[in-house]
Amino acid sequence: MRSSLSVALALALVAPTFAGEITQNRTGDLKENWKEELKPEDDAWKSVDQTFRFNNGTEPETLDLHIMTGVTENRLATALFEGLVSQHPETLDIVPGVAKSWTISADRTVYTFHFRDDAKWTDGKAVTAQDFYDSWKRALTPATTCQYGYMFFPIKNSEAFYKGKITDFNEVGVKVKDAKTLVVTLTNPCPYFLHLAAFKTLYPVPMAVVTKHGDKWTRPENIVSNGPFQLQEWVANQQITMVPNENYWDRKNVRLKKLIAYAYTDPETSYKLFRQGKMDWCTTIPTPKVDEIKRLPDYYAQPYLGSYFYRVNVEKPPFNDVRVRKALTMGFDREIITRDLLKGGQIPAGYFSPEMLGYKPPKGLRYNRVKAQKLLAEAGYPAGKGFPTIDLLYNTQESHKQVAEAIARQWKENLGITVSLRNNEWKVYLAEVDKRNFHLARGGWIGDYVDPNTFLDLFMTGGGNNNTGWSNKRYDDLIRGAAKSGDQKERFKLFYEAEKILVEDECPIIPIYIYVNQGLLSEKVAGWYENVLDHHTYQYIWMEPVE
Amino acid sequence: MGSYLLKRLAQVPVVLLVLITTTFFMMRLAPGGPFAGDKKMDPVIQKKLEEKYGLDKPMLVQFGKFLVGLPDLGPSFKNKTKTVNEILAEKFPTSAYLGFLATMFALALGLTAGIVAGVRQNSGFDYGSMAAAMLGLSLPVFVVGPVLALIFGLYLKWLPSAGYDGWSDWKALILPTITLGLPFAARIARLTRAGMLEVINQDYIRTAWAKGLSEKVIVLRHALRGAMLPVVSFLGPGIAAMLTGSIVVEKVFAIPGLGMEFVESAFNRDYTLAMGTVILYGVLLIFFNLVVDVLYGFLDPRIRYS
């Protein structure tokens, strides 16, 4: 088990000191021939059935890139569509997609994407700059109801258009220079813009097909896509079968002949089928069986770009007192949760944003019983005397309950505080959190892209997902400053300072651990890599013979 | 008979309307809407979504629109590309097929055991089968299912323990059929036995013995008809329950049927899909109860509808 995220997250970005225009066809430390490293060493693979079967967890809600919101849908979109750029399957470095190269202006606000000539849709038509223009216009048009519209926001005027403040899409910073050139203008330099461009919401949809079929364009009989695979069959609630897209520009490097995504919702079922050899990749494991499963050679656990924490309702006394919040944060040992309870390699964390891209978050407040007791006494509750019973809210799930119980027990022992656990079914829980009807509420946040901003902008004043009632001007300014800066070092300094306020000085949240993604991968599978986004690019996967 | 049937049929819309109204408003009173998620939506988009699905209108208007739209149940809130009617048409056959198999299994096992136990009262078979029936009744399906899957699926590897690939995949339905059918078989066995015991001492059976008829004829032709009455009355809601009530079984064996949709739709606040499943279940329940009432008249000559 990896103890630190830093190895996986060592994504280098282009040196920002470069003066003048920069031409790229990939970012990071990738070698010129990076694709060679993703190939099989010999031809042994040719002797086995190149079918890769995995459990996708549930029936996808849609294949419409602008409507989809979940991991399930994302896994399918990875196979079926391709954006301007893609990610290296292991390092997540940006690699060419539909764009074979791009240039970035000296002030880092204008990106010019040069399309490859052989990028085609499954119907044989070329993928053009106009396709992206039309797709992005559709995504940002409010009536499309694209929930991930904010992924476009670094692009000039996109937010205003999305929120209906301007109605002329020509004002938005995207221009078609010619059929093979797309120019994107940003409001501020945004070092992670290419990572946004690799996000599914910015992938192209076939507008002619969308216009013709409306909501039904993603049905198997209608769908046209531009990725390495194409949809062959969709049996509702059972399986989705994909085969290589013969028109894909890199068809020669796609080795799988068939890609099957099952829709089993129960991890237990999925595990059973995996053990029976009916599946090659289990994307989750039944957590109660973690001890048994960990012994299997097929088990893997990869750090995940997600944070598990408790929100504190800072407007309800006594939680308006920072000393109380600090006492709670310091009053329990996170190691007990991760090591003895969850056992999946979760990283105990006093910070909120995971390490990434060389960003090192502050340590946060560590477990310190004595100090916690002292702080609580200072706040007027020596040994927890007179402290009200804490109302701790979580959504109904066994593991949330166990974590809450373990923390409550420690608070009782260490601080003399009593906690009353309250579980609500998911939608009720969401409504309660939204109404801030709690003292403490369990929270989980999964990053959308590899940049601390996806975590830290959560707790800006009035943020839709803040839900703590906490507001800090300095914090807001730091996050805004980071958004405006093009210098990665400076940005990370600002983020660090902001996160320090969040987890060490003010504590409107109690960080608990950084997620891991656990699953089972058959030994037959090659070309599948662990990474923090749990993104797996099927076009590099193949099946190896195993005795 | 005809007028009785008409009267009963006339009640159907009333019952359905009550059902629809209750479900409609209860669903909407539940906290959290279909679009609530862990990432808060932009208010502009939230508004557009509500407009798209007609949720921006007052609740009574929504209700009226829904009623007028029937039998079109509208689009699903969760599955963005399908209508509720399509989902029901897709999922119900699987549940119905499983329910049909389970009914057949329950009838075959329950009737046989019940008849033999009734005829051979206080025999070893009687005690044995009734003890087994008691067990079958009291063991919940979420225990029986996994245990069967464990034994026959994982240890013996005779049958698949989960999953279902369509009609040809009959093997996958064996364990679910048994799991679903067992408690019903147990009920049927007990009801048949009780019915048998009651009938077997009646005068017309004694007459049949006196006539010198064979045991087989007496039991199957004379006694069974009377003994079936309680079974038939149970079969009405019983079959409806097996056709629709396979929720847990579908979950345990990962069979993509309607039961799963029903539960999920409630959790997801998928108003239209929840509505659709409730209506379908309601219709089935009403229908089978009606069939039972009609059958009664044929089985028991003493009952006359007027």
Side-chain angles (χ1 to χ4, degrees), chain A residues 4-6 9 305 351 353-361 514 532:
Chain A
S4 150
L5 279 170
S6 57
L9 287 168
L305 206 58
Y351 46 88
S353 166
E355 281 188 56
M356 64 181 99
L357 297 162
Y359 170 70
K360 272 197 181 303
I514 300 298
V532 284

Side-chain angles (χ1 to χ4, degrees), chain A residues 100-168:
Chain A
K100 62 177 191 284
S101 67
W102 49 92
T103 47
I104 305 171
S105 67
D107 68 352
R108 320 204 112 256
T109 58
V110 183
Y111 283 67
T112 308
F113 293 95
H114 306 285
F115 286 35
R116 60 180 74 252
D117 292 323
D118 47 358
K120 282 186 189 139
W121 294 94
T122 45
D123 64 4
K125 289 196 185 104
V127 181
T128 64
Q130 191 67 40
D131 285 330
F132 277 87
Y133 180 91
D134 294 342
S135 297
W136 292 7
K137 182 176 175 185
R138 174 179 186 257
L140 287 166
T141 302
T144 309
T145 65
C146 172
Q147 295 184 39
Y148 273 91
Y150 60 83
M151 296 301 273
F152 287 94
F153 287 179
I155 300 175
K156 205 175 118 198
N157 285 335
S158 60
E159 188 170 356
F161 186 82
Y162 182 68
K163 295 189 169 161
K165 285 177 191 140
I166 57 169
T167 48
D168 184 4

